[in-house]
Amino acid sequence: MHILHLSDLHFGTSDQANLWSNQLAADLYNELNISHLDALILSGDIANYSTEEEYKAAKEFVDELTKEFQIKRPQIIIVPGNHDLNRELGDKAYSSNNDQPKPDLTLHQRRFDNFRNFYQAIKGEYYPLEYEHQGILYHLPKQKLLILGLNSAWKLDRSQKIDADINPQALTNALNRIRDNEDLYQDCLKIAVWHHPLNSAGEDRIKDRGFMERLAQAGFRLALHGHIHTATKDLYRYDHASNSTGRKLDIVCAGTFGAHTKDLVPGYPWQYNLLQLEGNKLKVNTRRREEPNGTWKPDTRWLQGAGQNSLPYYEIELYEEPTANP
C-alpha cells in the first residue's frame, strides 16, 4: 500500500501545475515503480495567498495526479494551513470600532472560503466552516485506514499569526464518532493529519499538546504535518513503558513540495514523502528536488551510524510483534 504525502505546495499558476505534476508522475512511475496510489494526503498550505487562481492551479495538479494513479475522491485527504486562509476576507470580520476588537465569528470563518471551494471541487462536498466540525474522518475500508484531518490554523488571521492550535471540540466530535463506530474502525491503522508542527525553532508551532494525549489514548499511531519546510521524524510517547509496548505516535513531516526558493530552509531542497505500508512496517521514502526544472531524486539524509551510508528512507514498526509461545 502506498500513500503519497505532500505538504506546503504553495501553488501560484497553471504553469506550475503542469510542470510539477509531470515531474512528480515521472518520479513515481519511472524511479519508484508506482503505477497506483492508495491515498493522497495534502497537509496544508495548498495555496500561497488563498486566491481562486491559486486553487485553480492546485486543482489542475490534483486532477492530473488522480487520473494518472487511479485515486478516487474518498482516497484524497486535505487539511488547510496558514496560507489557506485569505487575509482580505479575514479583515472583513473586524469592526472599525476600536471598542469591538474581537472579530465577527461568521465573517471570520469565511476567510477559508476559497479553500472551501477548492475542497468541494476535489472532494464533491464542502469543507465545514464551523470550527467545531473541522475534525473530519476519512475511512478507507479496503486499505484498513482511518485518517483524521484537523485544522491547526483555525485561530489564525492577519493579526494573529502564530497561535496554531487544534480545536478541542472538533477533536471531541471526531473521537465520539470513532467510539460510536468502534466495530467499524477497530482493525484500521489510525492516522491524524494537520499542518503545524509540535516542535520548531519559531513560535508558530502548536504549544498546547494536550490533544496528543487524546489521540494516543484513542489508538492513533501516526501523525503527519508540514509547515516547517524540512522533512523530519519525531516521536510522541504517551506511556512511559518500553518503546515496544507503550502507546506512542510517530510524527512524520514531509518538508515543502513547492515553496518559493527564498522560503527554502538552508540545506533543505524541495521534498515529499511516499509512505509504503507492508505488514507491521511503515517505510517512509523521502524524495528531493534541487532545481526548479529538475527531477526528483532519493533524499539520502537519514543517518545509520558511524561509518555507514545514509539512506533515503526510514522505517517505523507500527505495533508490537506478538510473542511466540514456547
Side-chain angles (χ1 to χ4, degrees):
M1 180 162 59
H2 296 95
I3 301 171
L4 181 62
H5 177 203
L6 309 179
S7 195
D8 297 75
L9 298 95
H10 294 279
F11 268 103
T13 66
S14 292
D15 288 343
Q16 286 177 332
N18 293 329
L19 173 62
W20 293 355
S21 62
N22 182 276
Q23 290 169 317
L24 178 59
D27 190 51
L28 290 170
Y29 190 79
N30 295 329
E31 303 300 323
L32 297 173
N33 197 30
I34 302 298
S35 59
H36 82 280
L37 292 165
D38 294 280
L40 168 64
I41 297 178
L42 308 180
S43 58
D45 281 2
I46 315 301
N48 204 33
Y49 297 103
S50 189
T51 66
E52 292 180 0
E53 180 185 5
E54 291 171 340
Y55 288 120
K56 179 182 177 183
K59 183 180 184 301
E60 292 172 4
F61 171 84
V62 173
D63 285 347
E64 284 296 319
L65 200 59
T66 54
K67 180 175 65 176
E68 179 102 20
F69 295 96
Q70 299 91 51
I71 309 170
K72 305 301 183 183
R73 277 181 168 177
Q75 297 167 279
I76 305 172
I77 291 84
I78 310 173
V79 301
N82 50 293
H83 280 263
D84 293 311
L85 56 93
N86 186 287
R87 292 184 177 183
E88 292 181 1
L89 293 175
D91 289 346
K92 294 179 180 180
Y94 287 90
S95 170
S96 58
N97 185 347
N98 291 332
D99 295 332
Q100 296 178 348
K102 292 185 177 181
D104 177 276
L105 179 59
T106 301
L107 292 176
H108 199 240
Q109 293 171 340
R110 298 201 61 180
R111 68 201 190 285
F112 287 102
D113 265 1
N114 291 339
F115 170 82
R116 182 176 187 247
N117 292 334
F118 164 74
Y119 187 95
Q120 192 276 335
I122 298 297
K123 296 287 294 175
E125 56 190 40
Y126 282 107
Y127 188 80
L129 292 180
E130 301 83 2
Y131 302 133
E132 66 271 19
H133 296 311
Q134 291 177 350
I136 302 176
L137 294 177
Y138 304 83
H139 181 213
L140 305 181
K142 181 180 177 181
Q143 292 82 4
K144 294 185 178 181
L145 293 175
L146 180 65
I147 304 175
L148 169 60
L150 295 162
N151 180 7
S152 61
W154 70 279
K155 284 185 177 180
L156 305 182
D157 59 21
R158 188 188 296 273
S159 62
Q160 179 57 271
K161 299 179 182 180
I162 62 173
D163 196 12
D165 188 41
I166 300 299
N167 186 285
Q169 191 58 50
L171 180 58
T172 294
N173 290 337
L175 296 183
N176 281 341
R177 291 195 297 275
I178 293 174
R179 278 199 301 274
D180 290 343
N181 296 277
E182 184 176 355
D183 292 342
L184 185 63
Y185 303 141
Q186 63 180 352
D187 293 330
C188 290
L189 172 65
K190 296 184 178 69
I191 304 173
V193 182
W194 59 83
H195 181 66
H196 290 83
L198 298 178
N199 299 305
S200 75
E203 289 298 311
D204 52 347
R205 63 184 185 276
I206 300 175
K207 301 179 183 67
D208 183 355
R209 301 186 179 190
F211 77 102
M212 294 293 289
E213 297 182 358
R214 302 178 69 191
L215 288 173
Q217 186 185 59
F220 280 81
R221 185 62 188 81
L222 295 170
L224 310 183
H225 72 84
H227 187 68
I228 56 176
H229 293 189
T230 60
T232 62
K233 178 186 182 301
D234 206 349
L235 178 66
Y236 172 83
R237 293 182 61 186
Y238 179 68
D239 296 317
H240 291 275
S242 69
N243 279 342
S244 63
T245 59
R247 285 170 290 183
K248 56 187 178 293
L249 278 81
D250 277 275
I251 304 171
V252 176
C253 178
T256 177
F257 184 80
H260 290 298
T261 305
K262 64 181 178 62
D263 295 323
L264 292 176
V265 175
Y268 284 83
W270 292 284
Q271 297 170 305
Y272 79 85
N273 285 343
L274 179 70
L275 281 57
Q276 180 180 342
L277 279 163
E278 186 173 352
N280 192 42
K281 296 282 188 181
L282 172 68
K283 182 178 181 181
V284 181
N285 301 278
T286 59
R287 308 294 290 175
R288 80 182 196 277
R289 179 170 56 85
E290 298 172 341
E291 300 293 337
N293 295 319
T295 60
W296 290 95
K297 301 179 179 70
D299 189 21
T300 310
R301 66 176 58 250
W302 306 105
L303 302 176
Q304 302 300 306
Q308 299 186 49
N309 292 331
S310 300
L311 296 177
Y313 65 87
Y314 57 88
E315 293 184 331
I316 296 170
E317 186 173 313
L318 295 173
Y319 302 107
E320 180 187 10
E321 295 284 3
T323 303
N325 292 326

